[in-house]
Amino acid sequence: MAEIIAVGGVAEGRSVDVSSGAEVDAMVDAAVSRWKGVDVLVNNVGVNLPGLLHEVPDDIIDKTLDVNVKGRLYGCRAVIPYMLAIGGGSIVNISRVNGLVSEPFLTVYSASKGAGVMLTKGVALDYVKHGIRCNVICPGWVDTPINHAHAKLLGGLDHIYDTIDSFQPIGRPGQPREIANGALFLASDEASLMTGGVVAVDGGMTSQ
Ligand SMILES: NC(=O)c1ccc[n+]([C@@H]2O[C@H](COP(=O)([O-])OP(=O)(O)OC[C@H]3O[C@@H](n4cnc5c(N)ncnc54)[C@H](O)[C@@H]3O)[C@@H](O)[C@H]2O)c1
């Protein structure tokens, strides 16, 4: 936010637990009252709590589904009435390649990311005649802290980056900006024919 403001942009933040429908509703209501409408939602928040399924306790399953699945549903549900009121909008969900393929230790996470793909298609179909587009990005391995627990189970971050060629053919982790660029395109009118789209931004990971 500070970076946006530093270059003359306008930005405001609010701390919200997306696994609470009431908190998400309140955030969207406040944003609409401040900015007089909402035409873009990027559903980005996520958790990755890896493990072998038979060892994963209930609270980890609940948290993963609450944040990664319910959080996205709540976000979409909150903005849709406002988008209907202004004749349209664009929703961009951030899933992961695990919405399409799984990886070791990611059964629960993959289930949540697969749901992100299908909820995108559901919203896209139900609101296509109302001008609301909904697309999903499936990133590959991006250099952020969400991966650290998973990296530990796979032999450590250094090992991952030394061998990244073996699973992400571009041979390097993605940078957050490269995912943001995809979201920017999908949010914009340049993507006017795209709805229900599943866009891999993954350095070739799902091309193998
Ligand atoms: N980093 C990757 O390799 C990668 C790849 C594919 C997809 N993704 C997805 O991209 C999205 C962003 O992840 P990231 O890589 O920036 O990870 P990150 O850990 O840096 O960011 C995740 C953010 O979500 C927030 N968060 C967690 N639970 C929350 C909750 N209940 N309510 C509100 N905020 C909450 C955290 O505070 C954190 O700021 C996630 O959905 C993730 O699954 C990441």
Side-chain angles (χ1 to χ4, degrees):
M1 230 167 49
E3 281 179 50
I4 296 171
I5 293 165
V7 294
V10 180
E12 270 184 31
R14 185 178 171 126
S15 189
V16 169
D17 178 358
V18 301
S19 65
S20 157
E23 285 193 31
V24 172
D25 286 348
M27 171 187 68
V28 171
D29 289 347
V32 167
S33 114
R34 171 77 173 86
W35 302 103
K36 312 298 172 221
V38 58
D39 48 11
V40 170
L41 167 71
V42 179
N43 252 329
N44 183 50
V45 165
V47 291
N48 183 355
L49 306 165
L52 289 174
L53 183 58
H54 74 281
E55 296 171 350
V56 177
D58 285 2
D59 61 324
I60 296 292
I61 293 178
D62 288 344
K63 182 160 188 181
T64 304
L65 299 183
D66 284 352
V67 175
N68 294 1
V69 183
K70 286 186 180 177
R72 275 165 185 53
L73 288 168
Y74 292 148
C76 293
R77 186 181 67 178
V79 299
I80 285 169
Y82 292 114
M83 290 182 171
L84 289 172
I86 59 170
S90 176
I91 298 172
V92 182
N93 291 316
I94 309 296
S95 175
R96 184 177 157 115
V97 288
N98 308 115
L100 307 169
V101 296
S102 197
E103 290 171 87
F105 306 111
L106 293 188
T107 299
V108 180
Y109 184 71
S110 299
S112 75
K113 291 299 182 177
V117 170
M118 288 316 297
L119 73 86
T120 298
K121 289 176 180 282
V123 170
L125 266 187
D126 278 349
Y127 299 98
V128 65
K129 296 285 200 291
H130 299 275
I132 299 175
R133 297 183 298 102
C134 185
N135 294 286
V136 59
I137 295 179
C138 294
W141 191 289
V142 181
D143 190 18
T144 75
I146 202 172
N147 288 327
H148 290 176
H150 187 209
K152 207 169 168 188
L153 292 175
L154 295 172
L157 205 51
D158 288 345
H159 171 68
I160 291 291
Y161 286 171
D162 285 346
T163 58
I164 198 160
D165 235 357
S166 66
F167 64 93
Q168 188 151 296
I170 205 163
R172 63 171 177 83
Q175 292 303 315
R177 179 176 287 273
E178 295 176 289
I179 311 306
N181 286 339
L184 188 61
F185 169 67
L186 291 171
S188 78
D189 292 341
E190 302 300 317
S192 50
L193 191 61
M194 292 187 70
T195 193
V198 182
V199 182
V201 182
D202 68 352
M205 195 168 169
T206 51
S207 297
Q208 300 179 92

